[in-house]
Amino acid sequence: MEVKDANSALLSNYEVFQLLTDLKEQRKESGKNKHSSGQQNLNTITYETLKYISKTPCRHQSPEIVREFLTAMKSHKLTKAEKLQLLNHRPMTAVEIQLMVEESEERLTEEQIEALLHTVTSILPAGPEAEQKKNTNDDVTMDEEDPA
Amino acid sequence: MGVLVFIHRTVGGDRLRRSQQEVVYNVGLCICLFDITKLEDAYVFPGDGASHTKVHFRYVVFHPFLDEILIGKIKGCSPEGVHVSLGFFDDILLPPESLQQPAKFDEAEQVWVWEYETEEGAHDLYMDTGEEIRFRVVDESFVDTSPTGPSSAEAASSSEELPKKEAPYTLVGSISEPGLGLLSWWTSS
């Protein structure tokens, strides 16, 4: 086997999520019950990767959302890798932005960081984990209100 | 963390599928086929009944870039450091020097602890198994695990113990910056 290009393109979590979801649908439809051990191994990695990625913010993204996000990012002058991390992680705090943007103290003012956060959180939908936490908090509030 | 890799390979039969759930040396962990870009003519060679076809394809590969931020789960702790898993990829280590300092290894509980300094004194934060953790990828290592010739087998048998089976692809991470470490350390409730 010869690797011709080890780095043909960077894929976002969303793109990988779409690919794996489509692959899963294809497997279901073809209804193949007979699996060679090789195919089973591939299914494990595909399954585990899909499971991991489904818990990240890419879960609720769409091509339109990604396009809108990239357009909004143009004014912020970030590298491809930095934009990719913001897209994949949907940071909600300044500390997270500082982790993903190299030398952020020199390149971004506090206002710019706030603006970036606002862009990220308003365009990208919340991930499944954030939603879950929100629901848990709502439940707790309800319990406190209940006198019994 | 996903990367598209352009590969071409000669395959006979369905070896294409069987061989692709693996780590490709210096490339990363194969996740799934992206597309097949070209199929060349099939040849049958003398003495070999199988038909050989050169296939050009692209694979989706897991290969985080240097300094990338990832979130995983703590698999466990050992004196070597904190072991982290992503579910589909298990070989991630956070060595002791990369942890939030000061850190100590609790021998009894077999867990790494961040001795977080507050005005009231040190507040121990445990890095428990199952906890979600955000880390930065600081290094990677690919080990060529393909079979080698007799000379390496001799070297192995001369050593006192069996050589440790090495993972073909391992990542080294760090959590020594603000925002890194257990997610629970940094979320405001």
Side-chain angles (χ1 to χ4, degrees), chain B residues 71-110:
Chain B
I71 295 179
K73 266 205 182 130
I74 296 183
K75 211 169 71 172
C77 293
S78 75
E80 284 170 345
V82 179
H83 304 270
V84 177
S85 170
L86 302 178
F88 63 94
F89 183 76
D90 250 12
D91 299 302
I92 303 168
L93 177 71
L94 311 176
E97 60 273 16
S98 76
L99 304 177
Q100 294 275 9
Q101 300 296 330
K104 73 162 188 264
F105 185 62
D106 187 325
E107 289 285 351
E109 308 265 338
Q110 288 287 295

Side-chain angles (χ1 to χ4, degrees), chain A residues 1-8, chain B residues 4-11 15-16 19-20 22 24-27 30 35 37-38 40 53-59 61:
Chain A
M1 183 174 79
E2 192 191 313
V3 175
K4 290 191 79 178
D5 184 349
N7 221 337
S8 181
Chain B
L4 206 54
V5 178
F6 192 40
I7 300 173
H8 76 238
R9 137 157 240 170
T10 305
V11 292
R15 269 176 50 217
L16 171 68
S19 56
Q20 295 317 321
E22 65 185 52
V24 176
Y25 184 66
N26 282 345
V27 171
C30 291
D35 61 7
T37 57
K38 190 159 89 174
E40 295 188 16
T53 312
K54 196 164 181 184
V55 183
H56 297 249
F57 57 90
R58 289 188 295 183
Y59 232 80
V61 152

Side-chain angles (χ1 to χ4, degrees), chain A residues 3-4 6 13-14 18 26 36 41 49 52-53 75 84 89 95-96 103 116:
Chain A
V3 175
K4 290 191 79 178
N13 283 0
Y14 173 68
Q18 275 298 102
Q26 274 173 38
S36 66
N41 282 347
T49 308
Y52 174 85
I53 275 195
S75 57
L84 189 66
H89 287 272
V95 168
E96 287 170 81
E103 289 170 14
L116 195 51

Side-chain angles (χ1 to χ4, degrees), chain B residues 101-132:
Chain B
Q101 300 296 330
K104 73 162 188 264
F105 185 62
D106 187 325
E107 289 285 351
E109 308 265 338
Q110 288 287 295
V111 69
W112 278 96
V113 181
W114 179 19
E115 296 168 299
Y116 180 61
E117 311 267 307
T118 64
E119 299 89 51
E120 296 106 30
H123 180 59
D124 285 351
L125 294 171
Y126 286 79
M127 302 190 65
D128 294 320
T129 302
E131 288 288 338
E132 287 198 288

Side-chain angles (χ1 to χ4, degrees), chain A residues 24 37 45 47 50 55 58 60 65 69 74 78 86 95 104 112 126 130 134 142:
Chain A
K24 191 171 132 190
S37 64
I45 289 194
Y47 169 75
L50 186 55
K55 289 191 273 182
C58 79
H60 298 304
I65 289 176
F69 174 77
K74 280 190 187 155
L78 300 176
L86 297 184
V95 168
S104 57
Q112 283 173 319
K134 189 168 152 246
M142 277 166 66

